[in-house]
Amino acid sequence: MVVTYKVPLPTYEELDVEEVNLGGATLMAGSFHLGKYCEEQNDEFMLCRREEGRMKCFNEGKEVTACTLDFFRKVKKSCAAELQNFAYCIDQSSMMYDIYPCRKTQAVFDKCMLENMGIERPIYWYYSRPRVFDSKIRPKPEPEKPIEFPNPPVAPIPEEGLPDPIPGKMNSRYWWFG
């Protein structure tokens, strides 16, 4: 991507945040519970990105990262062995990080998360169903006004002597039926 001098770029201080130093298998293993734990921060970040663009949402992104770090620190205190076993199974079972070979270790991890942190694994399609997010930071957008046309089209007046077209005979979609 080419950037000119007119494009405002963030400073290093704005971008400086503690990183989540975990592998893909560990993130995959905790993803459902992480999504439920940090749902509000993530929804706020995605709403900001949608409404204002990527360059103005650094603070919301930092909140998502801080929530993720907080989540994995709490998991480390309460369910570290279960998460590690589940992540190891995901990592070793397939190259595509498939979860279906690891349902037994997943059940153990889910049980530990429910007992120790009170987070139940959401149903599989929970994150893809439509939801309404009520933001506490951003005001609701104003409803779109209907488009007003200055001069609406006028219906054509049929000329005298010409019959009105019959849809079945003259404009048939299935012309090969005759």
Side-chain angles (χ1 to χ4, degrees), residues 17-107:
V17 66
E18 185 180 357
E19 294 183 11
V20 181
N21 291 324
L22 295 172
T26 307
L27 291 171
M28 184 77 169
S31 63
F32 275 82
H33 300 286
L34 171 65
K36 191 71 174 160
Y37 185 80
C38 299
E39 185 173 14
E40 184 176 335
Q41 291 87 350
N42 193 35
D43 288 346
E44 193 69 51
F45 173 68
M46 295 307 290
L47 182 65
C48 177
R49 274 189 58 187
R50 178 77 175 172
E51 290 181 351
E52 298 181 21
R54 296 178 183 190
M55 300 298 280
K56 297 183 181 178
C57 301
F58 294 119
N59 293 330
E60 287 83 358
K62 287 180 182 182
E63 289 178 16
V64 172
T65 305
C67 182
T68 302
L69 288 168
D70 182 49
F71 171 76
F72 280 110
R73 286 180 182 139
K74 288 181 179 180
V75 170
K76 184 177 178 182
K77 289 179 184 176
S78 59
C79 300
E82 291 85 355
L83 176 66
Q84 186 175 6
N85 289 338
F86 186 32
Y88 182 77
C89 180
I90 290 173
D91 191 33
Q92 296 298 316
S93 64
S94 73
M95 292 179 6
M96 303 301 290
Y97 289 153
D98 291 329
I99 294 179
Y100 65 86
C102 307
R103 294 297 182 194
K104 291 180 182 179
T105 54
Q106 176 189 345

Side-chain angles (χ1 to χ4, degrees), residues 117-154:
M117 292 185 63
I119 301 173
E120 186 175 2
R121 182 183 185 89
I123 56 177
Y124 186 72
W125 55 87
Y126 176 78
Y127 298 109
S128 62
R129 68 181 182 188
R131 291 173 284 155
V132 176
F133 175 65
D134 187 22
S135 175
K136 295 176 179 64
I137 299 172
R138 289 182 177 33
K140 291 184 179 180
E142 294 185 20
E144 294 182 16
K145 296 177 182 175
I147 301 172
E148 294 181 16
F149 296 102
N151 47 353
V154 180

